[in-house]
Amino acid sequence: MNAMQRLELRQGQSLTMTPQLVQSIKLLQLSHAELASYVAAELERNPLLQEGEIPADAPGLSLADFLRAKQKAQALGPRIVPGPSPLRSSPSSGASGPTHGEIGSELGETLARAASLTEHLEAQLDLATSDPHLRMIGEHLIHSLDEAGYLREDLAEIAVRLGTAPADVESALQLIQTFEPAGVGARDLAECLAIQLKELGRLDPAMQALLGNLNLVARQDFAALKKVCGVGREDLAAMLAEIRRLEPKPGLAFTPAAIDVLVPDVLVRPAPDGSLAVELNPETMPHILLNRTYYAEVAKVLNKEEDKSFLSECVQAASWLTRSLEQRARTILKVAAEIARHQEEFFRQGVSGLRPLTLKSVADAIGMHESTISRVAANKAIGTERGTYPMKFFFGAATGEGEHAAKAVRHRIGQMIGAEKPEDVLSDEAIAQKLKLEGIQVARRTVAKYRDALRIPSSSERRRLGREA
């Protein structure tokens, strides 16, 4: 044989994000009600899982019970991947996936019940590609978007975490950026607007120059904008008007997953020594165990390979779920403890004590990734002596002029206006001066913006209403 056989070694990257890791990520962001539903389904499917403590003298299931449990699990179909989307399920051998018509029907039902952004994008991802590698990356990116629809993580970091090439992550992101709502998957405002303009066929060089200089738009430096865009006054006015018609936060058009009746996942209470005690709410944290005694008993008497395979699947699924629930609880508690530490004044004196807090600052403080903090904050609530609040309530930026949280300043403005007398109505400038005396540096225009957000009329309108009363 003349042809020489060659052994070639090639170095490459492959996707290392296993289905179990995908499940763990989704498990972290579930609300307590969604988690309870998922755990209940697993308890029904897996005979090795037990809820609560297992007494030492508790009788195990018989072999016949085990075989009936196997038949029931098979009848239930493939294990559903936990997550807010009803369209996702893990693949099973020999089972074909849903057809485009079936997905379309499910998508219609999903949208009819006010789908979340995640559900809406995952349904489009199902239709957009059949490449499992691209779909897994795309699913991870979709779950990394914030509520406004932006991707705040660095693509290189995502590639390292997933064990894949940066080019593959970029390809998946470009695919997501073609989905509805237009602008979703952008990494900043300029890219969000560019995606929308491209879809409208209006992303010409002049508009690209305008998007590259949004700082000049914010400063209303029209002379500089005309120069960099190479357009006249009328054209610039038309371009600015077109940008104002776009949606800067496309994700907010979708209903976020709601916290169920605001049952707290974490409780924060004053401790006897004056500190704050942070603990998990046992009512929202499922407690399940792997019954190892029953596993050992059944393993001895099984003869058929398919029965042994089912038992192995059950023990692996049970071990993964118990570990994942423990990790989820530890992560939630760790994030909540850092929130309580940073927002201690809120827990002692109320909204006026809120301080600016970002996902990144919490992530840096406890050594986790910002995306992890975002998933923890989603669909969770913290119970306090002042009531129960969504965990995201405790995050917010500063006012821009100082170190006070915007929520706290709005609250104080509402207090001032609520206490004013009819003959002494406070103007926005007067409120700004009063806040300054309290050590809060806020401009008059910021006071007006916060007052409008509180749906409080202007001082002149309040005076008129007072006279009519």
Side-chain angles (χ1 to χ4, degrees), residues 233-297:
R233 179 179 177 181
E234 292 184 0
D235 286 339
L236 178 62
M239 291 164 64
L240 291 172
E242 188 162 12
I243 282 183
R244 292 190 189 100
R245 289 193 292 270
L246 302 177
E247 177 51 67
K249 297 180 179 180
L252 296 186
F254 288 79
T255 305
I259 294 177
D260 305 89
V261 202
L262 281 183
V263 176
D265 299 88
V266 180
L267 304 173
V268 179
R269 299 282 190 270
D273 62 0
S275 64
L276 290 175
V278 183
E279 59 185 7
L280 296 170
N281 182 357
E283 295 182 4
T284 61
M285 297 294 163
H287 182 54
I288 61 173
L289 297 170
L290 166 61
N291 192 331
R292 298 185 180 278
T293 302
Y294 177 52
Y295 165 71
E297 291 175 357

Side-chain angles (χ1 to χ4, degrees), residues 73-87:
Q74 290 174 335
L76 290 173
R79 174 171 279 105
I80 301 300
V81 177
S85 172
L87 306 180

